[in-house]
Amino acid sequence: MPRWGMVIDLDRCTGCGACVVACQAENNVPINTEDVYHQRRAIEWIRLERYWEGEYPNIKARYIPVPCMHCQNAPCEPVCPVYATYHTSEGINMQVYNRCIGTRYCAINCHWHVRFFNFWEPKWPDSLKNQLNPNVTVRSRGVMEKCTFCIQRVVKAEHQAKLEGRDLEADEFTTACAQACPAEAIVFGDLDNPNSRVAQLVNSAVNERGYRLLEDLGTEPSVYYLKKIDPEAAAEEHSGH
Amino acid sequence: MQERHQLGEEAITRELFRPLVSTPAMMWVGFIGLGAVLAIFVFAVSWMFYWGLGVTGLHRPNMWGFMIVNFVFWIGISHAGVMISAILRLTQAEWRRPVTRAAEVMTIFSLMTAMLHPVIHTGRPWRTLYWVFPYDFWRNLWPDIRGPLVWDPSAILTYLTGSTLFLYTTIIPDMALARDRTTGWRHVLYSILALGWRGNERQWKMQTIAGFLLSGLILPVFVSVHSIVSWDFAVSLVPTWHATVFAPYFVIGAIHSGVSAVVTLMALMRWLFRFENYIRLEHFDSIGRLLIAVGTGWLWFFLLDIFFAIYPQEARELEIMQFRLFDWPFNVMTALIFIFGYFIPVPIWVFQRFRRNVKIMFWTSIAVNVGMWAERYWLIKPGLMRKYEWTFDWAWYRPSIVEISIVMGSFALVGFLLLVFSKIFPPISVWEEKEGVHFAQQLQVGKRRVNAIVREF
């Protein structure tokens, strides 16, 4: 049984936003217009947070892509009264849109702010209606939605492997965000398969510069981050020794 | 002590049934004014159903807002009924008699209003009802009982059932009284509601036992309801919500605001229905004394909550505590809660002269509830606005006109229902008043002879 996880290398991330666009297209996320941004109701299953470091003129932009952490001990799950959000045996935190009644308690109890509520009926311009992904439900008004680790791709790959009577191979498929990332900063895969890239990264790089967001809450997120290598800091450290 | 002229039974009946037969001009003003606000409320809710929750001021970090604050407030108000009726009945406090009925009715109406809030506040309200009640067991999809949002409707519905039964038990003798004195549709209605009450000894015995039993049984529910409402917040991981002190703190806050609301109601009834002979200054005096104790208890828990946030020295907790104590607009709100919730009313209630002044009691009780509404906002909102260290996602919450209409409308709804109730049922328990008269004795106090009840049994 696979255990899906992700590694995001912030040293490679350029903040281009391709992951956000790819996710939007793959998962039928409604178009976030300017209005929706101003209302702070934009839906971005993976979002790019931009933080400034330092003072002008020595200022640096820091980017961090934040998808759902798929916590193994997710705080959003027990607070849902209708089991609309639950954990799969493969470690994915799932959302059942048809069960959701929209109490929004899961969003209150998610400290990564990665659960999104459909405040309005989602709309697409006519030109984009034909590009909706047929494998993904279009969510209606009044339900929560979130990153699913591209569950449709997971299911498709597992089904294909079953048809061919073989086990799933390492890195046979990947999520839309990881596929679109030009710098290959996002790596998705089976954490329990030693041959997968994500497992190898977790075993090597994560020990050196890895961390998980809000790890101290004890929710066991499945998304690992590799922190940025600061060349100046490294040089200083080197000369210091 | 009963500071009034001795009243005959017939006079009591006639005076207490007066609101049923005659409508004072102010009552019409109330019906029309509250009805207008209620119309706005209905329009706002329909507007929200039609367009979705987009018309509210809610957004990503602030997923809960005015409606949840108002929900907690009304649950708090609903604690008055049982506080006044059940506890005071069990402790045989004599001054409860004229306020029990009004307090119980307010419990029921404010509970119903409170229950409305979480339902209309969800994304798909039609589904919410379907998931909570009546539950469709045949699908074998069960609600998640680990979640406080399942405990919550269970506790509230239990409380609503219990307090409705309690009210009905105490209303039966009055219904029989009304049945015997009315004709037409009212006679039919009261005949049905009186359940064949003849006032014989067995029926009185059953009624008394049922009253006492229900008061005893409802007490644990009374404590549990607001504890569970507090757990809606306390079981989450949001800093400053995640506090074990929340349950007793919410309960004492509920009693504080609920009993104050009873004072408001007493003053309004005294003015509107001219019940000077029944809702007397001694009653304001007694409830004022009770409020000093309750208010001070509430202040203690208010300070404890702040203390428990500081004591563990946890950075996130401290940050939000600092935000809500010292940053605009929450610094003003903190001051408002202190001043309106405690520092204006309680020192005033210490003086008997002021406790026996209806106007002062009315305005101080209003002040308490302004403070308590602000306190609920103060407890719930800051933690959401700055949830964890994602400064990128921090945001202010600004309620929309729809949410403000719903909050105002909830007050109108409770007021309107109370007015309608007092047109159909006597707003003061007639049989309890008469019972009080029977228990009274002529006592010599110094040079005066007064009507007083030394002990009930």
Side-chain angles (χ1 to χ4, degrees):
Chain A
M1 183 86 52
R3 184 164 64 90
W4 303 112
M6 191 177 264
V7 171
I8 299 175
D9 190 344
L10 297 183
D11 195 44
R12 283 169 175 266
C13 176
T14 59
C16 67
C19 49
V20 181
V21 177
C23 176
Q24 207 93 10
E26 170 77 16
N27 290 304
N28 296 344
V29 177
I31 304 297
N32 292 317
T33 58
E34 199 181 339
D35 278 356
V36 175
Y37 268 104
H38 284 306
Q39 291 168 358
R40 303 193 69 97
R41 289 170 182 160
I43 297 177
E44 300 166 294
W45 286 11
I46 182 168
R47 69 173 181 273
L48 203 63
E49 298 206 348
R50 188 251 303 113
Y51 292 102
W52 296 112
E53 203 175 85
E55 290 292 320
Y56 180 84
N58 296 318
I59 194 162
K60 284 174 187 160
R62 298 295 201 203
Y63 296 99
I64 174 164
V66 187
C68 171
M69 298 292 129
H70 293 275
C71 306
Q72 296 312 302
N73 192 4
C76 55
E77 286 165 11
V79 296
C80 178
V82 295
Y83 274 117
T85 174
Y86 74 104
H87 223 75
T88 67
S89 50
E90 299 182 358
I92 296 180
N93 174 267
M94 283 307 299
Q95 181 75 18
V96 187
Y97 308 119
N98 278 338
R99 283 195 205 170
C100 181
I101 54 175
T103 64
R104 305 194 289 299
Y105 200 169
C106 52
I108 298 274
N109 217 18
C110 171
H111 305 298
W112 298 265
H113 300 274
V114 290
R115 295 187 144 265
F116 302 89
F117 185 68
N118 284 280
F119 280 96
W120 305 106
E121 192 69 48
K123 281 194 190 110
W124 283 270
D126 282 341
S127 57
L128 288 179
K129 276 187 181 152
N130 288 334
Q131 66 89 49
L132 290 177
N133 187 346
N135 292 330
V136 180
T137 317
V138 172
R139 283 78 55 184
S140 66
R141 193 190 87 200
V143 301
M144 297 298 302
E145 60 180 67
K146 61 180 278 295
C147 163
T148 59
F149 268 173
C150 288
I151 185 71
Q152 66 281 8
R153 294 188 177 207
V154 176
V155 170
K156 194 177 168 192
E158 281 175 348
H159 186 63
Q160 191 61 35
K162 204 174 172 185
L163 283 181
E164 291 167 17
R166 60 179 171 83
D167 284 342
L168 210 57
E169 282 166 37
D171 302 325
E172 196 177 315
F173 71 100
T174 190
T175 58
C177 53
Q179 191 184 7
C181 183
E184 293 187 12
I186 303 175
V187 180
F188 170 83
D190 180 2
L191 291 169
D192 280 351
N193 185 342
N195 297 325
S196 72
R197 274 182 65 208
V198 73
Q200 284 162 2
L201 278 172
V202 168
N203 289 334
S204 58
V206 165
N207 292 330
E208 290 164 27
R209 55 194 179 96
Y211 66 93
R212 290 182 287 183
L213 297 180
L214 302 181
E215 200 171 3
D216 59 312
L217 293 177
T219 62
E220 297 294 320
S222 300
V223 177
Y224 293 82
Y225 285 86
L226 302 178
K227 73 179 171 195
K228 203 167 175 69
I229 302 167
D230 194 337
E232 290 165 27
E236 267 170 41
E237 202 177 314
H238 194 69
S239 63
H241 279 286
Chain B
M1 301 268 274
Q2 298 206 314
E3 300 159 5
R4 59 156 181 200
H5 313 291
Q6 256 191 309
L7 293 163
E9 289 210 358
E10 193 51 40
I12 293 179
T13 311
R14 207 176 310 121
E15 282 189 35
L16 290 184
F17 273 105
R18 200 194 307 130
L20 275 67
V21 284
S22 70
T23 310
M26 281 309 287
M27 213 160 164
W28 284 117
V29 174
F31 271 124
I32 292 165
L34 295 174
V37 181
L38 208 55
I40 297 172
F41 171 78
V42 171
F43 180 74
V45 173
S46 322
W47 183 261
M48 195 169 77
F49 278 10
Y50 186 75
W51 290 109
L53 284 165
V55 300
T56 62
L58 303 170
H59 50 79
R60 188 138 53 83
N62 296 300
M63 288 285 190
W64 288 358
F66 254 38
M67 278 178 267
I68 291 296
V69 173
N70 209 35
F71 160 70
V72 178
F73 176 80
W74 281 114
I75 292 281
I77 296 289
S78 77
H79 277 57
V82 166
M83 176 71 201
I84 297 288
S85 300
I87 296 183
L88 298 184
R89 185 183 297 259
L90 289 176
T91 56
Q92 302 186 354
E94 194 49 41
W95 57 270
R96 69 162 201 277
R97 294 188 184 280
V99 288
T100 47
R101 173 77 44 85
E104 280 156 21
V105 175
M106 193 167 67
T107 295
I108 291 167
F109 289 153
S110 55
L111 257 186
M112 279 157 51
T113 309
M115 279 169 71
L116 201 61
H117 285 83
V119 173
I120 61 174
H121 172 264
T122 55
R124 302 199 286 181
W126 48 95
R127 286 232 164 195
T128 312
L129 286 171
Y130 173 63
W131 271 104
V132 174
F133 186 83
Y135 194 76
D136 58 332
F137 296 103
W138 62 271
R139 297 209 312 179
N140 270 337
L141 284 171
W142 301 93
D144 186 354
I145 53 162
R146 293 174 303 171
L149 294 187
V150 172
W151 314 337
D152 196 325
S154 327
I156 293 174
L157 283 170
T158 310
Y159 190 47
L160 185 67
T161 316
S163 43
T164 310
L165 274 177
F166 188 44
L167 172 73
Y168 189 57
T169 311
T170 59
I171 220 168
I172 293 172
D174 287 359
M175 290 297 90
L177 201 62
R179 172 198 62 199
D180 298 342
R181 285 151 199 271
T182 46
T183 52
W185 68 269
R186 275 184 186 262
H187 182 73
V188 176
L189 175 72
Y190 295 136
S191 304
I192 295 166
L193 289 174
L195 297 180
W197 179 270
R198 288 285 172 268
N200 57 35
E201 198 174 337
R202 185 170 168 275
Q203 286 179 333
W204 274 113
K205 198 174 161 191
M206 302 279 273
Q207 198 259 2
T208 312
I209 291 171
F212 269 92
L213 266 183
L214 280 172
S215 341
L217 287 172
I218 213 166
L219 276 183
V221 184
F222 154 74
V223 177
S224 74
V225 170
H226 221 56
S227 301
I228 286 171
V229 168
S230 82
W231 293 338
D232 282 352
F233 307 100
V235 300
S236 79
L237 277 172
V238 180
T240 67
W241 285 17
H242 189 61
T244 42
V245 74
F246 255 36
Y249 177 31
F250 271 49
V251 172
I252 191 94
I255 299 172
H256 190 35
S257 65
V259 178
S260 300
V262 170
V263 174
T264 314
L265 205 61
M266 278 164 70
L268 288 174
M269 270 165 52
R270 188 179 152 106
W271 290 329
L272 190 59
F273 304 130
R274 311 206 177 287
F275 281 159
E276 285 88 354
N277 277 335
Y278 303 94
I279 302 172
R280 295 186 301 274
L281 298 178
E282 76 203 42
H283 297 124
F284 285 98
D285 192 352
S286 308
I287 208 165
R289 284 166 205 244
L290 176 69
L291 271 172
I292 295 174
V294 172
T296 310
W298 168 79
L299 182 74
W300 168 242
F301 275 99
F302 181 76
L303 297 175
L304 264 189
D305 183 44
I306 296 175
F307 173 71
F308 284 155
I310 296 168
Y311 183 67
Q313 288 291 309
E314 207 190 315
R316 288 165 182 146
E317 196 95 359
L318 280 177
E319 224 160 84
I320 292 188
M321 202 35 103
Q322 192 179 356
F323 169 57
R324 73 179 183 186
L325 286 179
F326 303 116
D327 285 11
W328 168 263
F330 291 106
N331 51 2
V332 176
M333 203 170 252
T334 313
L336 211 96
I337 296 163
F338 259 109
I339 294 167
F340 281 0
Y342 194 83
F343 283 121
I344 290 181
V346 175
I348 288 177
W349 294 332
V350 168
F351 298 99
Q352 196 183 44
R353 189 168 70 244
F354 295 135
R355 283 204 306 273
R356 284 170 174 268
N357 184 325
V358 181
K359 270 187 190 153
I360 285 180
M361 286 306 281
F362 176 75
W363 287 111
T364 47
S365 69
I366 295 275
V368 168
N369 273 322
V370 170
M372 292 310 285
W373 206 96
E375 186 230 18
R376 271 62 186 263
Y377 188 87
W378 183 87
L379 277 175
I380 293 168
K381 286 315 296 175
L384 284 185
M385 289 179 188
R386 304 226 167 154
K387 201 170 67 178
Y388 288 84
E389 38 278 61
W390 303 106
T391 50
F392 191 80
D393 300 293
W394 287 359
W396 292 99
Y397 167 67
R398 188 176 294 145
S400 75
I401 187 84
V402 172
E403 282 167 291
I404 294 168
S405 315
I406 288 172
V407 169
M408 295 200 340
S410 69
F411 284 84
L413 179 62
V414 174
F416 193 84
L417 287 173
L418 283 172
L419 274 184
V420 171
F421 181 87
S422 63
K423 274 311 288 176
I424 303 173
F425 304 98
I428 290 182
S429 185
V430 183
W431 66 272
E432 278 194 272
E433 265 313 309
K434 289 181 182 170
E435 194 186 50
V437 172
H438 280 288
F439 283 132
Q441 292 164 320
Q442 293 277 317
L443 285 184
Q444 188 83 30
V445 179
K447 286 181 180 172
R448 281 171 67 201
R449 280 187 79 78
V450 290
N451 269 331
I453 293 173
V454 183
R455 280 211 58 183
E456 201 166 307
F457 290 100

